[in-house]
Amino acid sequence: MDFLIRESDMINNTLKAILRNRLALIGFIIVSIFFLTALFAPFLTPYNIYAQNLEQRLSTPSASHPLGLDELGRDILSRIIYGSRVSLKVGVITVTISSIVGLLIGTFAGFIGGKVDEIIMRIIDILLAFPGILLAIAIIAIVGPGIDNVIFALCIVGWVGYARLVRGQTLSIRENEYVLAAKALGAPAIRTILFYIIPNLLSPLLVQATLGIAGAIVAEASLSFLGLGVQAPTPSWGSMLNDGQRYLSVAPHLTAFPGLAIMVVVMGFNFLGDGMRDILDPRSNSK
């Protein structure tokens, strides 16, 4: 119960600090708009995302279609709004699974140490030796395209970064006096990890997760751009970029607006992550 109270106080204090930090506040506003847009997409879209108007295909922005129409006469604004749901699903699920797996493996490796730590770190080094996006492409080429397979591939690639971060933090935390005192008093390893190690890992893990969502959104857009992600006719920002590149000279709005959506959302998560790093870093707070 005391642990839950401490975590609740930490969350409240973090939210108050975000409101005082300009960079974090801008990022928080952008991210909040993104989440609300994705959650309430069915109520915000002015047109059916699959409805076609071939007579007005490639129409430029107008009063009735603020972002114009695509190559099949579909409303771009409606498809961008629905595309945010794909980005939200991929970003949140990928980061949640990757951070949990990385937290468990990294904590175990850092706390146990020895040969176990050595084996786990060599596996992580092997995975990190491959460019993440190329490894994701290779995995999807084996399992096939689709949003679920994109999430699976990004999780396989993504957990190693969290594990490496957590392992390094654990190596430092386990040498603190309160951890050594718990060991000296005969506290079980699982209790020491749950009550003394993991609570001190949440701050850097939260910052990494915030930045990781931005990375997952870019990765999903890249895979969809290559035709390996979300399949037509489901709207995705990456696939919209791919469809619009053929008409770049005659209808640049087909690529400009999806690209702008990706840029703004990723910028928002990066702002929020950088702001939270400043807030949660004790060295920053002591200045």
Side-chain angles (χ1 to χ4, degrees), residues 66-138:
L67 302 186
L69 301 177
D70 65 8
E71 72 281 3
L72 295 178
R74 297 171 298 191
D75 184 64
I76 293 178
L77 175 60
S78 300
R79 292 181 64 80
I80 286 179
I81 291 175
Y82 255 90
S84 65
R85 304 192 108 188
V86 174
S87 298
L88 175 65
K89 180 179 179 179
V90 173
V92 171
I93 295 179
T94 298
V95 168
T96 299
I97 296 175
S98 299
S99 60
I100 292 175
V101 173
L103 175 64
L104 296 176
I105 295 177
T107 304
F108 180 74
F111 188 79
I112 300 299
K115 292 185 177 180
V116 173
D117 180 36
E118 187 71 19
I119 293 172
I120 292 176
M121 288 308 300
R122 295 296 75 78
I123 294 174
I124 291 176
D125 289 339
I126 292 173
L127 291 174
L128 289 175
F130 297 93
I133 191 66
L134 293 182
L135 184 57
I137 291 174

Side-chain angles (χ1 to χ4, degrees), residues 30-66:
I30 295 174
V31 169
S32 298
I33 294 174
F34 167 65
F35 271 80
L36 292 174
T37 300
L39 291 175
F40 296 101
F43 306 99
L44 297 176
T45 49
Y47 298 94
N48 187 305
I49 59 174
Y50 303 117
Q52 300 180 12
N53 186 349
L54 296 178
E55 294 181 355
Q56 299 182 18
R57 61 191 297 269
L58 302 179
S59 295
T60 56
S62 62
S64 57
H65 299 279

Side-chain angles (χ1 to χ4, degrees), residues 12 31 70 73 105 153 155 168 187 190 195 201 204 210-211 214 216 227 249 284-285:
N12 292 332
V31 169
D70 65 8
I105 295 177
C155 288
I190 186 65
F195 291 95
L201 296 172
T210 304
L211 298 172
S249 59
S284 298
N285 295 334

